[in-house]
Amino acid sequence: MKHSCFLPYMAVIMALFGSPSLALESCLQEQLRLQAQVRLLENQVKVQQIKIQNLLQEKELQLMDRGDENRVINLAEKRVYADCAEIYNDGHKQSAFYKIKPLQSTDSFYAFCDMSEGGGWTVFQRRSDGSQNFNRNWTEYKQGFGDFTSAKGEYWLGNDNLHYLTLQGDYILRVELVDFEGQRRFAQYKSFSVGDEETSYQMSCGEYTGTAGDSITAGFNPEVTWWANLSGMKFSTQDRDNDNYEGNCAEEDKGGWWFNRCHAANLNGWYYKGPYTSKTDDGIVWYTWHGWWYSLKSVTMKIRPASFEPNVV
């Protein structure tokens, strides 16, 4: 008796489909059709999500290009800041150009303060578009050169300024690299320092960490440190040859740098666009990522005190 109510439904199914097996087959086909529609809609949603994400990223980049970063921030001489870490911990969290004056420096100067990656980074070198010529002489590298107003402007802060900055204590060097495919890598070194002009701005750096590979101290192969390790090297330019090579690395590789015989990293080289051919490996080179014959799209070199601890507001 309890199944008698089912009989009218069975009659309807028989009338529509002829038999229960045909009804089941029809239901399965309808289920497959609906599942296919769901998968199609899911794929369409994913495509739209990717488009939205790309548009948001593009909008963010546009805002960065014309927004608050693209300016010099004047703190009205409220106090003297020794580096960007002090500026960050004084409550200024916007990435921009600020005036700083290291403790033993006689002059103040503007530097770009990168407040990302934990904040407090003083940027002393930046390459982004090839707009600046980095094949400069000794005096120009000593004093600094480039665009000190644009958010992505290319510049070298100056070897004197770099010496006074690292003279203040133990600093970390962070190198950020981007290729023409949009991939990013970084290399970080402990105990980075630059000597004064009497030492020809001799550079020293310690332990490496990162994703780009160790092209500065040649940790990628102990057998090549005799020619590729740049730690302990003096600075060389086209008119001041201080490298260990029989020729002039700075002249051949078109930029001032801490050359050995000559390099596995040359971030002040000629601005090519990706793969290049030349008589020498004179591009913007980071060997342990893209080898000698690929010139990177953008590079940033920045420093921060090893003891830096950001103030949490």
Side-chain angles (χ1 to χ4, degrees):
M1 294 293 292
K2 65 180 179 180
H3 297 298
S4 61
C5 62
F6 185 66
L7 294 176
Y9 295 103
M10 289 299 295
V12 172
I13 292 173
M14 291 291 289
L16 290 174
F17 302 105
S19 71
S21 61
L22 289 176
L24 179 60
E25 181 179 353
S26 179
C27 288
L28 290 175
Q29 289 177 351
E30 180 66 10
Q31 184 181 15
L32 291 173
R33 186 183 69 81
L34 292 173
Q35 288 175 343
Q37 286 185 338
V38 169
R39 286 195 294 270
L40 178 62
L41 290 171
E42 287 176 343
N43 288 333
Q44 290 176 343
V45 169
K46 288 180 180 178
V47 170
Q48 292 301 318
Q49 287 176 336
I50 292 172
K51 288 182 179 179
I52 292 171
Q53 185 177 3
N54 289 338
L55 287 171
L56 289 173
Q57 289 176 347
E58 183 178 349
K59 185 68 175 177
E60 183 180 358
L61 290 173
Q62 290 174 352
L63 291 172
M64 286 177 63
D65 285 341
R66 69 172 187 266
D68 289 341
E69 276 195 330
N70 195 16
R71 63 185 177 129
V72 175
I73 293 182
N74 187 349
L75 299 179
E77 307 294 340
K78 291 181 179 179
R79 57 167 286 191
V80 177
Y81 297 97
D83 59 16
C84 293
E86 288 192 355
I87 291 174
Y88 184 91
N89 273 340
D90 201 32
H92 307 286
K93 305 298 192 290
Q94 175 64 53
S95 294
F97 284 95
Y98 295 84
K99 184 177 286 188
I100 60 176
K101 184 178 181 296
L103 297 177
Q104 298 191 40
S105 175
T106 57
D107 300 307
S108 59
F109 52 88
Y110 281 97
F112 190 83
C113 294
D114 185 349
M115 301 312 188
S116 65
E117 303 292 343
W121 295 99
T122 304
V123 176
F124 69 86
Q125 185 258 27
R126 183 163 54 198
R127 310 293 302 275
S128 59
D129 57 12
S131 58
Q132 295 291 325
N133 177 18
F134 274 67
N135 192 15
R136 307 276 188 136
N137 62 33
W138 183 265
T139 300
E140 290 172 298
Y141 269 100
K142 167 187 168 73
Q143 297 175 348
F145 58 85
D147 180 357
F148 290 90
T149 59
S150 302
K152 294 183 179 179
E154 298 192 328
Y155 73 83
W156 182 262
L157 189 59
N159 288 338
D160 276 347
N161 294 334
L162 190 51
H163 163 64
Y164 286 123
L165 278 165
T166 59
L167 187 63
Q168 299 179 118
D170 184 15
Y171 276 78
I172 294 170
L173 166 67
R174 184 178 176 90
V175 182
E176 296 182 342
L177 312 165
V178 183
D179 66 13
F180 280 89
E181 290 66 49
Q183 299 180 84
R184 298 175 180 271
R185 298 286 189 276
F186 79 94
Q188 198 158 291
Y189 294 87
K190 293 181 178 180
S191 304
F192 175 77
S193 66
V194 174
D196 59 15
E197 189 172 16
E198 290 186 4
T199 71
S200 297
Y201 303 112
Q202 186 176 28
M203 183 269 290
S204 177
C205 62
E207 180 183 353
Y208 158 84
T209 56
T211 59
D214 178 12
S215 288
I216 287 186
T217 64
F220 62 94
N221 187 345
E223 295 182 1
V224 305
T225 55
W226 66 276
W227 65 263
N229 182 10
L230 306 183
S231 182
M233 295 300 106
K234 298 177 179 180
F235 202 83
S236 290
T237 57
Q238 55 183 267
D239 59 336
R240 192 77 66 90
D241 184 5
N242 292 313
D243 59 49
N244 293 329
Y245 176 56
E246 56 269 21
N248 185 338
C249 294
E251 185 176 13
E252 289 189 9
D253 293 333
K254 299 183 176 66
W257 191 245
W258 297 280
F259 292 106
N260 190 335
R261 295 180 181 89
C262 283
H263 68 83
N266 175 24
L267 301 184
N268 289 341
W270 198 255
Y271 195 91
Y272 298 99
K273 294 185 178 180
Y276 70 98
T277 56
S278 179
K279 291 182 179 179
T280 63
D281 48 347
D282 58 0
I284 302 175
V285 170
W286 193 270
Y287 171 77
T288 50
W289 186 18
H290 276 299
W292 282 295
W293 304 107
Y294 185 102
S295 187
L296 296 168
K297 180 179 181 180
S298 64
V299 176
T300 301
M301 302 181 72
K302 55 190 182 182
I303 57 174
R304 186 172 70 184
S307 59
F308 174 74
E309 292 184 4
N311 288 338
V312 178
V313 179

